[in-house]
């Protein structure tokens, strides 16, 4: 076995292995920083990493067989191992290939799942909710539902939430979701509708990826009017889970707090603002 490690040193395999690892790491880091700027899929990074892992054993074999000299690339001299049987030389080469494959497989096992993981951009804009009821008062009620959802989401420090003022310009005319995402600088859009009939309310919501225009999550709630607070709390928590936003115990308690003896709804934050609680 000592002869094997001596051959690795003599053939400069150690140097090639270290140089290959450093260069591969630098390339992967560079791609991870550059590709998102051009909106290139993370799958490109995964393919590059897979090719680098496959190339590692090949690089070791090439380093074993060839050597870079001042006069060019030449086949490595085997003078030092001339007295060794041919089976020993083959065994050494086989051990080298096996070691390279094991290292590549081990690194790939830990690196590829992380590279495959979708990076979540935790930003969201809540568009004005559409009122599907005829009464004008119900339009105010739909605004109140939107306000309270915005308030709950704004309590989550790990989320970037666009203000109500910025999204109100999209009331009544909804352009392409991708255009909204680019204009507001967010990755996700929440849109929905509210229908109120007597003491019953139906809330329909869709969470949409602003980059691909695909639905990430959708749900509808058909509840009594007194349960509207539970709807808003549940929505905030589900959106946070979908965007993988970290929710501290205090933030969770604030979201689940439906009543406050001093103030209710958005009037706590902005006096005169109309919330769904004020309309009940």
């Amino acid at each position: 076995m000592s002869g094997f490690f001596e051959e690795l040193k003599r053939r400069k395999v150690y140097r090639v292995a270290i140089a290959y690892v450093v260069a591969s790491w630098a390339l992967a880091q560079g791609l991870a920083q550059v590709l998102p700027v051009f909106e290139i899929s993370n799958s490109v990074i995964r393919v590059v990493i897979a090719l680098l892992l496959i190339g590692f054993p090949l690089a070791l074999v090439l380093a074993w067989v060839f050597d870079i000299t001042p006069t060019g690339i030449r086949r490595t001299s085997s003078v030092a191992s001339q007295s060794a049987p041919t089976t020993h030389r083959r065994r050494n080469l086989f051990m080298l290939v096996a070691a390279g494959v094991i290292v590549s497989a081990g690194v790939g096992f830990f690196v590829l799942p992380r590279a495959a993981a979708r990076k979540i951009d935790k930003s969201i804009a809540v568009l004005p909710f559409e009122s599907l009821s005829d009464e004008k008062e119900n339009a105010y009620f739909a605004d109140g539902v939107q306000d309270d959802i915005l308030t709950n989401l704004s309590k989550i420090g790990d989320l970037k939430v666009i203000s109500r003022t910025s999204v109100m310009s999209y009331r009544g005319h909804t352009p392409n979701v991708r255009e909204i995402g680019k204009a507001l600088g967010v990755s996700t859009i929440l849109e929905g509708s509210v229908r109120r009939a007597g003491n019953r309310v139906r809330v329909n919501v869709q969470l949409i990826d602003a980059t691909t225009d695909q639905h990430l999550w959708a749900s509808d709630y058909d509840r009594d009017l007194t349960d509207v607070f539970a709807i808003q709390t549940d929505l905030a928590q589900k959106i946070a889970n979908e965007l993988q936003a970290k929710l501290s115990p205090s933030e969770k308690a604030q979201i689940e707090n439906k009543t406050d003896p001093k103030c209710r709804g958005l009037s706590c934050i902005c006096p005169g603002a109309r919330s769904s609680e004020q309309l009940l």
Side-chain angles (χ1 to χ4, degrees):
M1 184 64 71
S2 61
F4 172 67
F5 291 109
E6 290 177 0
E7 275 293 280
L8 290 180
K9 183 177 181 180
R10 187 181 73 83
R11 294 173 182 264
K12 302 177 183 178
V13 176
Y14 289 130
R15 295 183 183 180
V16 172
I18 294 174
Y20 189 94
V21 170
V22 172
S24 299
W25 180 84
L27 177 61
Q29 291 295 317
L31 290 176
Q33 297 296 324
V34 172
L35 292 184
V37 176
F38 298 97
E39 298 183 356
I40 299 177
S41 174
N42 284 341
S43 60
V44 176
I45 299 179
R46 296 196 295 271
V47 171
V48 171
I49 293 176
L51 292 176
L52 291 173
L53 292 174
I54 294 173
F56 182 68
L58 298 177
L60 297 184
V61 172
L62 292 176
W64 178 276
V65 177
F66 299 101
D67 189 16
I68 300 177
T69 67
T71 58
I73 300 177
R74 295 177 177 272
R75 189 178 184 88
T76 304
S77 173
S78 57
V79 174
S81 60
Q82 192 68 36
S83 58
T86 303
T87 54
H88 286 185
R89 294 198 294 271
R90 291 178 177 175
R91 181 202 62 185
N92 288 343
L93 184 58
F94 174 78
M95 290 175 59
L96 177 66
V97 173
V101 171
I102 292 173
V103 171
S104 293
V107 173
F109 179 79
F110 291 100
V111 173
L112 284 179
R114 296 182 180 180
R118 181 169 64 99
K119 185 178 180 180
I120 302 297
D121 183 1
K122 304 171 186 178
S123 57
I124 185 172
V126 181
L127 298 185
F129 277 39
E130 180 183 4
S131 176
L132 300 181
S133 303
D134 296 331
E135 294 81 359
K136 185 177 180 180
E137 179 183 346
N138 290 333
Y140 291 123
F141 179 78
D143 288 345
V145 173
Q146 178 207 11
D147 285 344
D148 288 345
I149 293 174
L150 264 172
T151 302
N152 282 338
L153 293 177
S154 298
K155 294 175 183 177
I156 304 174
D158 201 27
L159 279 181
K160 172 188 172 184
V161 183
I162 300 300
S163 68
R164 182 179 185 273
T165 304
S166 298
V167 300
M168 290 309 293
S169 60
Y170 298 103
R171 177 196 294 277
H173 62 285
T174 305
N176 187 281
V177 170
R178 294 175 179 172
E179 295 178 3
I180 299 177
K182 289 182 179 179
L184 299 178
V186 295
S187 63
T188 52
I189 301 291
L190 183 73
E191 62 179 15
S193 61
V194 177
R195 184 191 300 273
R196 180 180 174 185
N199 291 326
R200 299 289 294 179
V201 60
R202 174 182 288 272
V203 179
N204 183 280
V205 290
Q206 302 91 34
L207 185 64
I208 304 172
D209 189 322
T211 303
T212 62
D213 202 8
Q214 294 181 344
H215 282 72
L216 299 175
W217 168 76
S219 183
D220 58 78
Y221 300 85
D222 192 358
R223 306 278 185 86
D224 289 331
L225 199 58
T226 53
D227 291 336
V228 69
F229 311 115
I231 295 175
Q232 296 157 357
T233 299
D234 186 63
L235 277 174
Q237 292 178 341
K238 286 186 176 179
I239 291 169
N241 291 337
E242 185 65 35
L243 298 182
Q244 298 182 13
K246 297 179 181 179
L247 200 63
S248 67
S250 61
E251 291 171 344
K252 184 177 181 181
Q254 290 180 26
I255 292 175
E256 293 177 349
N257 183 25
K258 303 184 180 67
T259 60
D260 190 307
K262 296 181 180 179
C263 58
R264 300 173 60 86
L266 290 181
S267 59
C268 302
I269 299 175
C270 179
R274 186 182 296 268
S275 74
S276 59
E277 294 188 43
Q278 293 173 310
L279 294 170
L280 292 181

